[in-house]
Amino acid sequence: MSSAASRRGEAGDGWNAHAYARDARFVAELAMPVVELLDARPGERILDLGCGDGVLSQAIAARGADVLGVDASAELAAAARARGIETIVLDGHELADSSQIRGRFDAVFSNAALHWMKRDPQAVVDAVYQRLLPGGRFVGEFGAAGNVAPIHDALRREAQARGLDADTIDPWYFPTEAQYRERLEQAGFVVEALFSFERPTVLPSDIGRWVTTLAGPFVGAFAPGAARDDYVAAVRDRLIDTLRDAQGRWTAPYVRLRFDARRAAA
Ligand code: BEZ
């Protein structure tokens, strides 16, 4: 789900599979409708682009499909492999040129990953198109314009306040419906469905954990210890009045962009 450069941090590539399972299991659980939309059939060959720890790859494989997972994080790819998913460590931007991936696919699936591929989103979409068989489908969901906006804003402002250039460290690409439709069509896809929707999500833990687990490039820009702790605390303080309720529960205002696009039949 990721650009290696974006998903960095002190533990190797910045992803911690244990923390991800603890604080972000909802990422996969809430994406089951995307697996339904993919509608994988027995024997189909499916690429899971940004497979993370492989929970959804496993759900797709359970339908009898042959799934190859790719993820820029070696840590998460290893977790996917431990679930029995064949997995390659690869940044989505390298999809076009990688000799590790052989042949073409009936479908490319992607959940909560494309927003990490910010450097050249069009190159990623073009590469997906090239990796599909004629008639193949590209089905996915990721952050749309406005996704986690107050959190994103707080991360950027507190980074700027500490002398960092937020544009340089900001790893996320959250397009509008129109922007992503245009990318898909430019690559040659026929867009069957594409829409965005708000999905406020009650978090399983404090927002500080969300920030530490899921906003690695921001947090990793600060040295471990006081500087980092101060940054996370300041982000939290900015959000407490708007995102935490009287019972102490935190809600993240996710906005998703879901799509189903097809490569023309030969
Ligand atoms: C998302 O799935 O929308 C997301 C995940 C991590 C950071 C930012 C957004």
Side-chain angles (χ1 to χ4, degrees), residues 132-229:
L132 283 170
L133 290 162
R137 32 204 219 285
F138 181 25
V139 173
E141 184 173 298
F142 67 111
N147 190 38
V148 295
I151 308 174
H152 196 189
D153 183 62
L155 289 163
R156 290 180 57 95
R157 282 179 192 273
E158 292 298 334
Q160 289 281 156
R162 287 160 178 74
L164 297 183
D165 177 10
D167 287 339
T168 303
I169 57 175
D170 189 339
W172 299 325
Y173 162 68
F174 298 139
T176 63
E177 290 179 10
Q179 286 165 341
Y180 207 64
R181 176 181 287 275
E182 192 180 333
R183 287 205 186 287
L184 290 165
E185 289 178 346
Q186 190 179 318
F189 282 106
V190 173
V191 178
E192 298 283 333
L194 185 152
F195 56 95
S196 60
F197 58 98
E198 296 182 6
R199 197 204 67 197
T201 302
V202 176
L203 301 179
S205 47
D206 190 272
I207 194 76
R209 281 204 177 162
W210 188 101
V211 167
T212 307
T213 302
L214 292 171
F218 283 105
V219 174
F222 296 92
R228 185 174 298 181
D229 294 348

Side-chain angles (χ1 to χ4, degrees), residues 83-95:
R83 294 180 191 277
I85 302 299
E86 183 188 352
T87 311
I88 291 172
V89 179
L90 189 79
D91 183 321
H93 289 96
E94 313 306 326
L95 191 59

Side-chain angles (χ1 to χ4, degrees), residues 31-50:
M32 287 311 290
V34 195
V35 174
E36 299 295 326
L37 185 62
L38 174 69
D39 193 20
R41 315 270 164 71
E44 280 191 325
R45 189 160 184 252
I46 299 195
L47 179 73
D48 185 353
L49 176 58

